[in-house]
């Protein structure tokens, strides 16, 4: 299988999205149903994640949390700087 492009706003697999957000891949489904994590359904149990949408979601979530920076917030800032 050819390598998939994941730069820019490319689509990510669950494993790639989990790595980007530094969470367990099984947590993605919970985040999608409970916290509105954006995803694209391609099949019955096949989802892809837009890098740009994930980063927007993470930043919005960070802003809602207020001034209390957590480890997750620090990760988001680190990821934003790596783009």
């Amino acid at each position: 299988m050819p390598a998939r492009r994941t730069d820019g706003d490319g689509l990510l697999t669950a494993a790639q999205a989990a790595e980007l957000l530094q969470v367990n891949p099984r947590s993605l489904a919970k985040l999608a149903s409970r916290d509105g994590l954006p995803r694209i359904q391609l099949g019955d149990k096949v989802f892809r994640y837009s890098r740009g949408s994930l980063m927007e979601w993470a930043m919005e979530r960070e802003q809602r949390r207020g001034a209390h920076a957590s480890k997750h917030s620090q990760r988001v800032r680190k990821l934003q700087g790596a783009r």
Side-chain angles (χ1 to χ4, degrees):
M1 176 186 278
R4 294 180 187 237
R5 188 177 150 202
T6 59
D7 59 328
D9 195 35
L11 295 180
L12 306 173
T13 65
Q16 292 168 325
E19 184 178 337
L20 178 69
L21 296 175
Q22 297 182 352
V23 298
N24 186 301
R26 287 183 263 178
S27 297
L28 291 177
K30 291 178 187 175
L31 289 170
S33 64
R34 186 180 58 209
D35 297 326
L37 179 78
R39 63 184 180 176
I40 301 163
Q41 187 166 6
L42 299 177
D44 188 34
K45 294 183 180 183
V46 178
F47 296 94
R48 292 295 180 263
Y49 303 83
S50 162
R51 178 184 298 270
S53 294
L54 290 177
M55 298 312 295
E56 284 180 31
W57 175 85
M59 293 302 293
E60 287 172 8
R61 186 173 165 141
E62 179 182 5
Q63 289 172 356
R64 280 184 285 171
R65 293 171 80 172
H68 300 292
S70 67
K71 288 182 182 179
H72 179 73
S73 298
Q74 293 168 359
R75 289 179 188 155
V76 170
R77 285 191 206 101
K78 182 179 176 182
L79 291 170
Q80 285 292 331
R83 284 174 70 184

